[in-house]
Amino acid sequence: MGTQESNEPQGTGRRALLGAAVLGAGALGLSGTARAADGPGAAGRAGGLRSLPKPTIIGHRGASGHRPEHTLASYQLALDLGADIVEAGDLVPTRDGHLVCRHEPEIGGTTDVASRPGFAGRRTTKVLDGVSVTGWFTEDFTLAELKTLRATERIPANRPHNTLYDGRWEIPTFEEVLRWQDEQTRARGRQVWIYPEMKHPTYFRKLGLGLEERVAELLHRHGKDRRTSPVIVQSFEPTSVQRLNRLVDNPLVVLLSGPATRPWDFVETGDPRTVADLVRPAGLREIASYAQGIGPTLDLIVPKDASGRLTRPTTLVADAHKVGLILHPWTLRNENPFLPAEFRKGTDADAYGDVFGAYRVYFATGIDGVFTDQPDTGVLAREDFVNG
């Protein structure tokens, strides 16, 4: 999932956690009023996007506001805190073709690889979707080598508390996540949903490490390749979603960044369209022909002005709903730098702002759910919203 990191000055203060943590694996912190999109009783039936509570709370890379992202511990905590879906897996391949869960193929910022003398020679510079990136890349490691590494906090200046857990957990594979999903479903007595993302598919296809076929093969093997399967697959590259649509029947989502940006597969193929074109009615109708939803940046729902304050909502929610698409925008985070300016409190980069106020504004637009780094806060915000 894309990021909205800030370059603002970073501090070390921290506010107390907003609200109480949700108690129990199955607790949603609601009074029974969060509705499934299919109407009363739908949430209890197996299968389908429409069976999910609305607004859906999606644990962004797990509970990444509380644990280092893309670890089984982060995924587990997201469920404990009430997330309806866990974004378990930004999927990138190893040299020997396994899919692992990392935010990016460059792992210098999310693992302890830089401290491993044996891997010092693997540090290199590559061009990733047109950008020069220096570091260590998953495609240069075997799975066995990656399993010797341990996860670290990606944004320690914003989340110094998460550095307590640096070095504790290994990098999970997508197959391990699929097994974990089954284990958690049995243990919790309710269907656990996951929301993996295929990262940089054009880049990896050029390396002979096509993602779509690998994802499809694992979903087939685990019997999770149907329209009602509890696995939503997403990508920033529309042609990658189209390719996967020919291989599986899972619900699929096209991710959308800023309006002036172009998906990298469009750049590679010479398609001149930007995200601004894709969010127009004609673009949305095209997406609806092969996907069930879109994952827009929150700025496509409610733009900000030059001072970082929210302006008027766009028509994207209504336009997408008209063609049958759901909207799961990204990403709500509790910390000041990631909030609209009017909801910040103080200047500390790791202090919490009025995130509940931000949730109210975004939920009021009619979005179907939201990615959040702090699912416990999202669940409480939903309770406030649905109960008026």
Side-chain angles (χ1 to χ4, degrees), residues 132-175:
S132 181
V133 179
T134 298
W136 292 261
F137 296 81
T138 59
E139 67 267 24
D140 295 333
F141 291 76
T142 65
L143 178 59
E145 290 172 329
L146 284 179
K147 282 294 188 179
T148 68
L149 303 177
R150 292 296 179 267
T152 59
E153 171 55 37
R154 185 176 60 86
I155 47 174
N158 301 110
R159 291 170 181 165
H161 55 293
N162 278 5
T163 63
L164 172 67
Y165 306 104
D166 283 357
R168 182 172 290 268
W169 296 296
E170 64 179 31
I171 299 172
T173 68
F174 185 44
E175 185 150 34

mmCIF file of all heavy atoms in Angstrom, residues 132-175:
data_model
loop_
_atom_site.group_PDB
_atom_site.id
_atom_site.type_symbol
_atom_site.label_atom_id
_atom_site.label_comp_id
_atom_site.label_asym_id
_atom_site.label_seq_id
_atom_site.Cartn_x
_atom_site.Cartn_y
_atom_site.Cartn_z
ATOM 1 N N SER A 132 15.710 5.910 -8.771
ATOM 2 C CA SER A 132 16.939 5.258 -8.326
ATOM 3 C C SER A 132 16.848 4.977 -6.829
ATOM 4 O O SER A 132 16.599 5.877 -6.026
ATOM 5 C CB SER A 132 18.142 6.160 -8.628
ATOM 6 O OG SER A 132 19.341 5.536 -8.235
ATOM 7 N N VAL A 133 17.024 3.712 -6.460
ATOM 8 C CA VAL A 133 16.905 3.280 -5.068
ATOM 9 C C VAL A 133 18.154 2.498 -4.701
ATOM 10 O O VAL A 133 18.567 1.590 -5.428
ATOM 11 C CB VAL A 133 15.662 2.393 -4.858
ATOM 12 C CG1 VAL A 133 15.576 1.932 -3.407
ATOM 13 C CG2 VAL A 133 14.396 3.143 -5.266
ATOM 14 N N THR A 134 18.759 2.839 -3.567
ATOM 15 C CA THR A 134 19.951 2.139 -3.081
ATOM 16 C C THR A 134 19.603 1.360 -1.825
ATOM 17 O O THR A 134 18.948 1.885 -0.916
ATOM 18 C CB THR A 134 21.082 3.126 -2.784
ATOM 19 O OG1 THR A 134 21.438 3.804 -3.995
ATOM 20 C CG2 THR A 134 22.319 2.400 -2.250
ATOM 21 N N GLY A 135 20.033 0.119 -1.782
ATOM 22 C CA GLY A 135 19.783 -0.690 -0.601
ATOM 23 C C GLY A 135 19.933 -2.164 -0.902
ATOM 24 O O GLY A 135 20.734 -2.573 -1.753
ATOM 25 N N TRP A 136 19.153 -2.968 -0.194
ATOM 26 C CA TRP A 136 19.155 -4.416 -0.349
ATOM 27 C C TRP A 136 17.776 -4.835 -0.853
ATOM 28 O O TRP A 136 16.751 -4.348 -0.346
ATOM 29 C CB TRP A 136 19.440 -5.095 0.983
ATOM 30 C CG TRP A 136 20.818 -4.897 1.517
ATOM 31 C CD1 TRP A 136 21.865 -5.785 1.422
ATOM 32 C CD2 TRP A 136 21.324 -3.785 2.259
ATOM 33 N NE1 TRP A 136 22.980 -5.284 2.050
ATOM 34 C CE2 TRP A 136 22.671 -4.053 2.582
ATOM 35 C CE3 TRP A 136 20.757 -2.582 2.687
ATOM 36 C CZ2 TRP A 136 23.467 -3.163 3.306
ATOM 37 C CZ3 TRP A 136 21.540 -1.691 3.401
ATOM 38 C CH2 TRP A 136 22.876 -1.981 3.707
ATOM 39 N N PHE A 137 17.723 -5.733 -1.818
ATOM 40 C CA PHE A 137 16.478 -6.053 -2.508
ATOM 41 C C PHE A 137 16.140 -7.535 -2.367
ATOM 42 O O PHE A 137 17.012 -8.400 -2.497
ATOM 43 C CB PHE A 137 16.578 -5.682 -3.986
ATOM 44 C CG PHE A 137 16.746 -4.203 -4.223
ATOM 45 C CD1 PHE A 137 17.986 -3.593 -4.100
ATOM 46 C CD2 PHE A 137 15.649 -3.409 -4.548
ATOM 47 C CE1 PHE A 137 18.149 -2.233 -4.295
ATOM 48 C CE2 PHE A 137 15.802 -2.035 -4.749
ATOM 49 C CZ PHE A 137 17.051 -1.451 -4.624
ATOM 50 N N THR A 138 14.865 -7.809 -2.131
ATOM 51 C CA THR A 138 14.450 -9.191 -1.888
ATOM 52 C C THR A 138 14.819 -10.114 -3.031
ATOM 53 O O THR A 138 15.139 -11.290 -2.812
ATOM 54 C CB THR A 138 12.933 -9.286 -1.652
ATOM 55 O OG1 THR A 138 12.220 -8.772 -2.793
ATOM 56 C CG2 THR A 138 12.527 -8.515 -0.408
ATOM 57 N N GLU A 139 14.790 -9.607 -4.260
ATOM 58 C CA GLU A 139 15.065 -10.477 -5.405
ATOM 59 C C GLU A 139 16.525 -10.892 -5.494
ATOM 60 O O GLU A 139 16.881 -11.731 -6.336
ATOM 61 C CB GLU A 139 14.625 -9.796 -6.707
ATOM 62 C CG GLU A 139 15.419 -8.555 -7.097
ATOM 63 C CD GLU A 139 14.795 -7.262 -6.587
ATOM 64 O OE1 GLU A 139 14.049 -7.314 -5.589
ATOM 65 O OE2 GLU A 139 15.047 -6.201 -7.203
ATOM 66 N N ASP A 140 17.367 -10.347 -4.637
ATOM 67 C CA ASP A 140 18.779 -10.742 -4.598
ATOM 68 C C ASP A 140 19.065 -11.727 -3.467
ATOM 69 O O ASP A 140 20.226 -12.073 -3.225
ATOM 70 C CB ASP A 140 19.662 -9.501 -4.428
ATOM 71 C CG ASP A 140 19.582 -8.558 -5.619
ATOM 72 O OD1 ASP A 140 19.299 -9.038 -6.741
ATOM 73 O OD2 ASP A 140 19.786 -7.348 -5.437
ATOM 74 N N PHE A 141 18.026 -12.169 -2.776
ATOM 75 C CA PHE A 141 18.169 -13.090 -1.648
ATOM 76 C C PHE A 141 17.320 -14.328 -1.885
ATOM 77 O O PHE A 141 16.211 -14.239 -2.441
ATOM 78 C CB PHE A 141 17.701 -12.434 -0.341
ATOM 79 C CG PHE A 141 18.570 -11.318 0.151
ATOM 80 C CD1 PHE A 141 18.530 -10.055 -0.437
ATOM 81 C CD2 PHE A 141 19.427 -11.517 1.222
ATOM 82 C CE1 PHE A 141 19.319 -9.021 0.017
ATOM 83 C CE2 PHE A 141 20.229 -10.480 1.697
ATOM 84 C CZ PHE A 141 20.180 -9.236 1.087
ATOM 85 N N THR A 142 17.798 -15.478 -1.433
ATOM 86 C CA THR A 142 16.943 -16.654 -1.382
ATOM 87 C C THR A 142 16.030 -16.533 -0.167
ATOM 88 O O THR A 142 16.283 -15.739 0.751
ATOM 89 C CB THR A 142 17.762 -17.937 -1.267
ATOM 90 O OG1 THR A 142 18.452 -17.938 -0.004
ATOM 91 C CG2 THR A 142 18.776 -18.062 -2.402
ATOM 92 N N LEU A 143 14.987 -17.342 -0.155
ATOM 93 C CA LEU A 143 14.103 -17.334 1.004
ATOM 94 C C LEU A 143 14.863 -17.726 2.264
ATOM 95 O O LEU A 143 14.674 -17.112 3.328
ATOM 96 C CB LEU A 143 12.926 -18.286 0.784
ATOM 97 C CG LEU A 143 11.959 -18.406 1.965
ATOM 98 C CD1 LEU A 143 11.349 -17.064 2.324
ATOM 99 C CD2 LEU A 143 10.875 -19.440 1.658
ATOM 100 N N ALA A 144 15.727 -18.708 2.160
ATOM 101 C CA ALA A 144 16.486 -19.141 3.338
ATOM 102 C C ALA A 144 17.325 -17.996 3.898
ATOM 103 O O ALA A 144 17.433 -17.825 5.120
ATOM 104 C CB ALA A 144 17.373 -20.324 2.985
ATOM 105 N N GLU A 145 17.910 -17.183 3.017
ATOM 106 C CA GLU A 145 18.706 -16.044 3.479
ATOM 107 C C GLU A 145 17.820 -14.987 4.137
ATOM 108 O O GLU A 145 18.174 -14.430 5.192
ATOM 109 C CB GLU A 145 19.475 -15.439 2.307
ATOM 110 C CG GLU A 145 20.605 -16.328 1.806
ATOM 111 C CD GLU A 145 21.236 -15.797 0.524
ATOM 112 O OE1 GLU A 145 20.515 -15.153 -0.280
ATOM 113 O OE2 GLU A 145 22.441 -16.035 0.325
ATOM 114 N N LEU A 146 16.662 -14.698 3.531
ATOM 115 C CA LEU A 146 15.766 -13.699 4.108
ATOM 116 C C LEU A 146 15.250 -14.133 5.478
ATOM 117 O O LEU A 146 15.026 -13.293 6.357
ATOM 118 C CB LEU A 146 14.585 -13.436 3.173
ATOM 119 C CG LEU A 146 14.854 -12.570 1.943
ATOM 120 C CD1 LEU A 146 13.581 -12.422 1.121
ATOM 121 C CD2 LEU A 146 15.380 -11.197 2.340
ATOM 122 N N LYS A 147 15.093 -15.424 5.661
ATOM 123 C CA LYS A 147 14.585 -15.923 6.938
ATOM 124 C C LYS A 147 15.587 -15.727 8.080
ATOM 125 O O LYS A 147 15.218 -15.842 9.247
ATOM 126 C CB LYS A 147 14.196 -17.398 6.813
ATOM 127 C CG LYS A 147 12.849 -17.631 6.127
ATOM 128 C CD LYS A 147 11.698 -17.088 6.962
ATOM 129 C CE LYS A 147 10.343 -17.473 6.413
ATOM 130 N NZ LYS A 147 9.236 -16.955 7.253
ATOM 131 N N THR A 148 16.824 -15.427 7.751
ATOM 132 C CA THR A 148 17.797 -15.141 8.816
ATOM 133 C C THR A 148 17.693 -13.701 9.304
ATOM 134 O O THR A 148 18.264 -13.348 10.348
ATOM 135 C CB THR A 148 19.235 -15.395 8.340
ATOM 136 O OG1 THR A 148 19.602 -14.418 7.345
ATOM 137 C CG2 THR A 148 19.391 -16.796 7.762
ATOM 138 N N LEU A 149 16.981 -12.844 8.562
ATOM 139 C CA LEU A 149 16.830 -11.438 8.931
ATOM 140 C C LEU A 149 15.665 -11.260 9.894
ATOM 141 O O LEU A 149 14.805 -12.135 10.028
ATOM 142 C CB LEU A 149 16.604 -10.585 7.684
ATOM 143 C CG LEU A 149 17.671 -10.664 6.586
ATOM 144 C CD1 LEU A 149 17.262 -9.815 5.388
ATOM 145 C CD2 LEU A 149 19.027 -10.242 7.124
ATOM 146 N N ARG A 150 15.614 -10.108 10.544
ATOM 147 C CA ARG A 150 14.514 -9.788 11.440
ATOM 148 C C ARG A 150 13.972 -8.402 11.113
ATOM 149 O O ARG A 150 14.711 -7.507 10.690
ATOM 150 C CB ARG A 150 14.979 -9.852 12.906
ATOM 151 C CG ARG A 150 15.328 -11.270 13.363
ATOM 152 C CD ARG A 150 14.104 -12.172 13.332
ATOM 153 N NE ARG A 150 14.378 -13.549 13.735
ATOM 154 C CZ ARG A 150 14.683 -14.538 12.897
ATOM 155 N NH1 ARG A 150 14.773 -14.297 11.589
ATOM 156 N NH2 ARG A 150 14.881 -15.757 13.347
ATOM 157 N N ALA A 151 12.676 -8.239 11.337
ATOM 158 C CA ALA A 151 11.980 -7.004 10.987
ATOM 159 C C ALA A 151 12.314 -5.880 11.965
ATOM 160 O O ALA A 151 12.559 -6.113 13.152
ATOM 161 C CB ALA A 151 10.480 -7.240 10.969
ATOM 162 N N THR A 152 12.306 -4.652 11.441
ATOM 163 C CA THR A 152 12.516 -3.456 12.252
ATOM 164 C C THR A 152 11.450 -2.417 11.898
ATOM 165 O O THR A 152 10.811 -2.494 10.842
ATOM 166 C CB THR A 152 13.910 -2.844 12.027
ATOM 167 O OG1 THR A 152 14.047 -2.495 10.631
ATOM 168 C CG2 THR A 152 15.014 -3.824 12.408
ATOM 169 N N GLU A 153 11.276 -1.440 12.772
ATOM 170 C CA GLU A 153 10.306 -0.373 12.549
ATOM 171 C C GLU A 153 10.741 0.507 11.386
ATOM 172 O O GLU A 153 11.881 0.975 11.323
ATOM 173 C CB GLU A 153 10.140 0.465 13.812
ATOM 174 C CG GLU A 153 9.316 1.724 13.643
ATOM 175 C CD GLU A 153 7.929 1.458 13.067
ATOM 176 O OE1 GLU A 153 7.315 0.419 13.422
ATOM 177 O OE2 GLU A 153 7.472 2.293 12.265
ATOM 178 N N ARG A 154 9.827 0.779 10.452
ATOM 179 C CA ARG A 154 10.153 1.529 9.243
ATOM 180 C C ARG A 154 10.243 3.031 9.476
ATOM 181 O O ARG A 154 11.035 3.734 8.827
ATOM 182 C CB ARG A 154 9.102 1.230 8.156
ATOM 183 C CG ARG A 154 9.412 1.864 6.795
ATOM 184 C CD ARG A 154 8.378 1.445 5.775
ATOM 185 N NE ARG A 154 7.042 1.860 6.176
ATOM 186 C CZ ARG A 154 6.523 3.050 5.924
ATOM 187 N NH1 ARG A 154 7.218 3.963 5.277
ATOM 188 N NH2 ARG A 154 5.291 3.337 6.319
ATOM 189 N N ILE A 155 9.410 3.584 10.384
ATOM 190 C CA ILE A 155 9.426 5.038 10.622
ATOM 191 C C ILE A 155 9.653 5.288 12.118
ATOM 192 O O ILE A 155 8.739 5.745 12.825
ATOM 193 C CB ILE A 155 8.143 5.718 10.105
ATOM 194 C CG1 ILE A 155 6.865 4.961 10.547
ATOM 195 C CG2 ILE A 155 8.174 5.836 8.600
ATOM 196 C CD1 ILE A 155 5.581 5.680 10.167
ATOM 197 N N PRO A 156 10.858 5.032 12.612
ATOM 198 C CA PRO A 156 11.117 5.122 14.048
ATOM 199 C C PRO A 156 10.944 6.522 14.624
ATOM 200 O O PRO A 156 10.635 6.663 15.810
ATOM 201 C CB PRO A 156 12.558 4.634 14.178
ATOM 202 C CG PRO A 156 13.166 4.843 12.827
ATOM 203 C CD PRO A 156 12.054 4.598 11.862
ATOM 204 N N ALA A 157 11.136 7.578 13.837
ATOM 205 C CA ALA A 157 10.958 8.928 14.372
ATOM 206 C C ALA A 157 9.499 9.192 14.728
ATOM 207 O O ALA A 157 9.207 9.942 15.662
ATOM 208 C CB ALA A 157 11.451 9.961 13.372
ATOM 209 N N ASN A 158 8.577 8.582 13.980
ATOM 210 C CA ASN A 158 7.160 8.714 14.283
ATOM 211 C C ASN A 158 6.678 7.667 15.284
ATOM 212 O O ASN A 158 5.681 7.886 15.968
ATOM 213 C CB ASN A 158 6.326 8.579 13.005
ATOM 214 C CG ASN A 158 6.684 9.615 11.961
ATOM 215 O OD1 ASN A 158 7.263 9.282 10.933
ATOM 216 N ND2 ASN A 158 6.368 10.873 12.224
ATOM 217 N N ARG A 159 7.390 6.550 15.350
ATOM 218 C CA ARG A 159 6.953 5.441 16.198
ATOM 219 C C ARG A 159 8.114 4.859 16.993
ATOM 220 O O ARG A 159 8.494 3.696 16.835
ATOM 221 C CB ARG A 159 6.294 4.365 15.340
ATOM 222 C CG ARG A 159 4.972 4.879 14.783
ATOM 223 C CD ARG A 159 4.343 4.019 13.752
ATOM 224 N NE ARG A 159 3.118 4.686 13.326
ATOM 225 C CZ ARG A 159 2.437 4.382 12.229
ATOM 226 N NH1 ARG A 159 2.856 3.410 11.445
ATOM 227 N NH2 ARG A 159 1.341 5.041 11.921
ATOM 228 N N PRO A 160 8.713 5.683 17.873
ATOM 229 C CA PRO A 160 9.842 5.176 18.658
ATOM 230 C C PRO A 160 9.453 4.002 19.544
ATOM 231 O O PRO A 160 10.292 3.137 19.845
ATOM 232 C CB PRO A 160 10.277 6.393 19.483
ATOM 233 C CG PRO A 160 9.085 7.306 19.508
ATOM 234 C CD PRO A 160 8.410 7.101 18.189
ATOM 235 N N HIS A 161 8.188 3.960 19.961
ATOM 236 C CA HIS A 161 7.730 2.844 20.796
ATOM 237 C C HIS A 161 7.810 1.513 20.057
ATOM 238 O O HIS A 161 7.984 0.467 20.678
ATOM 239 C CB HIS A 161 6.297 3.101 21.263
ATOM 240 C CG HIS A 161 5.329 3.371 20.151
ATOM 241 N ND1 HIS A 161 5.386 4.508 19.372
ATOM 242 C CD2 HIS A 161 4.291 2.639 19.669
ATOM 243 C CE1 HIS A 161 4.420 4.472 18.475
ATOM 244 N NE2 HIS A 161 3.749 3.347 18.627
ATOM 245 N N ASN A 162 7.674 1.534 18.727
ATOM 246 C CA ASN A 162 7.743 0.284 17.966
ATOM 247 C C ASN A 162 9.158 -0.281 17.891
ATOM 248 O O ASN A 162 9.336 -1.476 17.633
ATOM 249 C CB ASN A 162 7.208 0.490 16.552
ATOM 250 C CG ASN A 162 5.690 0.425 16.485
ATOM 251 O OD1 ASN A 162 5.023 0.322 17.509
ATOM 252 N ND2 ASN A 162 5.149 0.491 15.287
ATOM 253 N N THR A 163 10.160 0.562 18.098
ATOM 254 C CA THR A 163 11.536 0.060 18.025
ATOM 255 C C THR A 163 11.841 -0.909 19.164
ATOM 256 O O THR A 163 12.833 -1.646 19.106
ATOM 257 C CB THR A 163 12.549 1.216 18.055
ATOM 258 O OG1 THR A 163 12.436 1.923 19.301
ATOM 259 C CG2 THR A 163 12.297 2.187 16.906
ATOM 260 N N LEU A 164 11.004 -0.914 20.194
ATOM 261 C CA LEU A 164 11.145 -1.907 21.265
ATOM 262 C C LEU A 164 11.136 -3.323 20.704
ATOM 263 O O LEU A 164 11.770 -4.227 21.257
ATOM 264 C CB LEU A 164 9.994 -1.734 22.263
ATOM 265 C CG LEU A 164 9.849 -2.794 23.357
ATOM 266 C CD1 LEU A 164 11.039 -2.723 24.315
ATOM 267 C CD2 LEU A 164 8.535 -2.605 24.101
ATOM 268 N N TYR A 165 10.436 -3.515 19.579
ATOM 269 C CA TYR A 165 10.243 -4.853 19.025
ATOM 270 C C TYR A 165 11.191 -5.161 17.865
ATOM 271 O O TYR A 165 11.076 -6.214 17.234
ATOM 272 C CB TYR A 165 8.797 -5.000 18.557
ATOM 273 C CG TYR A 165 7.796 -4.669 19.646
ATOM 274 C CD1 TYR A 165 7.109 -3.449 19.630
ATOM 275 C CD2 TYR A 165 7.560 -5.555 20.688
ATOM 276 C CE1 TYR A 165 6.211 -3.139 20.635
ATOM 277 C CE2 TYR A 165 6.658 -5.238 21.692
ATOM 278 C CZ TYR A 165 5.982 -4.033 21.662
ATOM 279 O OH TYR A 165 5.100 -3.725 22.659
ATOM 280 N N ASP A 166 12.125 -4.245 17.575
ATOM 281 C CA ASP A 166 13.077 -4.496 16.490
ATOM 282 C C ASP A 166 13.825 -5.798 16.742
ATOM 283 O O ASP A 166 14.305 -6.057 17.850
ATOM 284 C CB ASP A 166 14.082 -3.344 16.377
ATOM 285 C CG ASP A 166 13.499 -2.115 15.711
ATOM 286 O OD1 ASP A 166 12.338 -2.165 15.278
ATOM 287 O OD2 ASP A 166 14.218 -1.095 15.635
ATOM 288 N N GLY A 167 13.942 -6.601 15.694
ATOM 289 C CA GLY A 167 14.721 -7.825 15.785
ATOM 290 C C GLY A 167 13.985 -9.024 16.332
ATOM 291 O O GLY A 167 14.566 -10.112 16.443
ATOM 292 N N ARG A 168 12.703 -8.869 16.647
ATOM 293 C CA ARG A 168 11.971 -9.955 17.307
ATOM 294 C C ARG A 168 11.352 -10.936 16.312
ATOM 295 O O ARG A 168 11.275 -12.139 16.597
ATOM 296 C CB ARG A 168 10.893 -9.369 18.211
ATOM 297 C CG ARG A 168 10.094 -10.401 18.995
ATOM 298 C CD ARG A 168 9.192 -9.734 20.012
ATOM 299 N NE ARG A 168 9.958 -9.141 21.099
ATOM 300 C CZ ARG A 168 10.255 -9.771 22.229
ATOM 301 N NH1 ARG A 168 9.887 -11.024 22.412
ATOM 302 N NH2 ARG A 168 10.946 -9.157 23.175
ATOM 303 N N TRP A 169 10.885 -10.430 15.151
ATOM 304 C CA TRP A 169 10.105 -11.290 14.251
ATOM 305 C C TRP A 169 10.727 -11.368 12.866
ATOM 306 O O TRP A 169 11.345 -10.420 12.379
ATOM 307 C CB TRP A 169 8.677 -10.767 14.143
ATOM 308 C CG TRP A 169 7.970 -10.838 15.473
ATOM 309 C CD1 TRP A 169 7.664 -11.947 16.194
ATOM 310 C CD2 TRP A 169 7.510 -9.721 16.252
ATOM 311 N NE1 TRP A 169 7.026 -11.601 17.360
ATOM 312 C CE2 TRP A 169 6.921 -10.250 17.430
ATOM 313 C CE3 TRP A 169 7.523 -8.327 16.066
ATOM 314 C CZ2 TRP A 169 6.360 -9.445 18.414
ATOM 315 C CZ3 TRP A 169 6.976 -7.526 17.047
ATOM 316 C CH2 TRP A 169 6.395 -8.077 18.202
ATOM 317 N N GLU A 170 10.531 -12.505 12.219
ATOM 318 C CA GLU A 170 11.088 -12.737 10.890
ATOM 319 C C GLU A 170 10.132 -12.249 9.804
ATOM 320 O O GLU A 170 9.019 -11.792 10.079
ATOM 321 C CB GLU A 170 11.376 -14.224 10.700
ATOM 322 C CG GLU A 170 10.140 -15.108 10.728
ATOM 323 C CD GLU A 170 10.456 -16.581 10.509
ATOM 324 O OE1 GLU A 170 11.554 -17.028 10.897
ATOM 325 O OE2 GLU A 170 9.583 -17.284 9.960
ATOM 326 N N ILE A 171 10.576 -12.356 8.559
ATOM 327 C CA ILE A 171 9.770 -11.972 7.405
ATOM 328 C C ILE A 171 8.855 -13.140 7.043
ATOM 329 O O ILE A 171 9.331 -14.242 6.768
ATOM 330 C CB ILE A 171 10.670 -11.620 6.205
ATOM 331 C CG1 ILE A 171 11.565 -10.437 6.545
ATOM 332 C CG2 ILE A 171 9.830 -11.328 4.965
ATOM 333 C CD1 ILE A 171 12.626 -10.158 5.484
ATOM 334 N N PRO A 172 7.544 -12.930 7.032
ATOM 335 C CA PRO A 172 6.655 -14.039 6.664
ATOM 336 C C PRO A 172 6.539 -14.200 5.150
ATOM 337 O O PRO A 172 6.675 -13.242 4.390
ATOM 338 C CB PRO A 172 5.307 -13.619 7.267
ATOM 339 C CG PRO A 172 5.353 -12.125 7.302
ATOM 340 C CD PRO A 172 6.796 -11.734 7.473
ATOM 341 N N THR A 173 6.284 -15.424 4.720
ATOM 342 C CA THR A 173 5.954 -15.684 3.320
ATOM 343 C C THR A 173 4.444 -15.568 3.145
ATOM 344 O O THR A 173 3.670 -15.652 4.109
ATOM 345 C CB THR A 173 6.395 -17.080 2.886
ATOM 346 O OG1 THR A 173 5.597 -18.064 3.570
ATOM 347 C CG2 THR A 173 7.874 -17.320 3.191
ATOM 348 N N PHE A 174 4.013 -15.403 1.897
ATOM 349 C CA PHE A 174 2.578 -15.338 1.640
ATOM 350 C C PHE A 174 1.916 -16.676 1.959
ATOM 351 O O PHE A 174 0.797 -16.718 2.474
ATOM 352 C CB PHE A 174 2.320 -14.940 0.187
ATOM 353 C CG PHE A 174 0.866 -14.723 -0.127
ATOM 354 C CD1 PHE A 174 0.033 -14.022 0.727
ATOM 355 C CD2 PHE A 174 0.325 -15.227 -1.302
ATOM 356 C CE1 PHE A 174 -1.315 -13.812 0.425
ATOM 357 C CE2 PHE A 174 -1.015 -15.023 -1.616
ATOM 358 C CZ PHE A 174 -1.840 -14.323 -0.748
ATOM 359 N N GLU A 175 2.608 -17.762 1.699
ATOM 360 C CA GLU A 175 2.024 -19.063 2.031
ATOM 361 C C GLU A 175 1.851 -19.212 3.542
ATOM 362 O O GLU A 175 0.843 -19.751 4.006
ATOM 363 C CB GLU A 175 2.875 -20.201 1.477
ATOM 364 C CG GLU A 175 2.246 -21.566 1.690
ATOM 365 C CD GLU A 175 2.607 -22.580 0.634
ATOM 366 O OE1 GLU A 175 3.749 -22.518 0.143
ATOM 367 O OE2 GLU A 175 1.756 -23.431 0.318
#
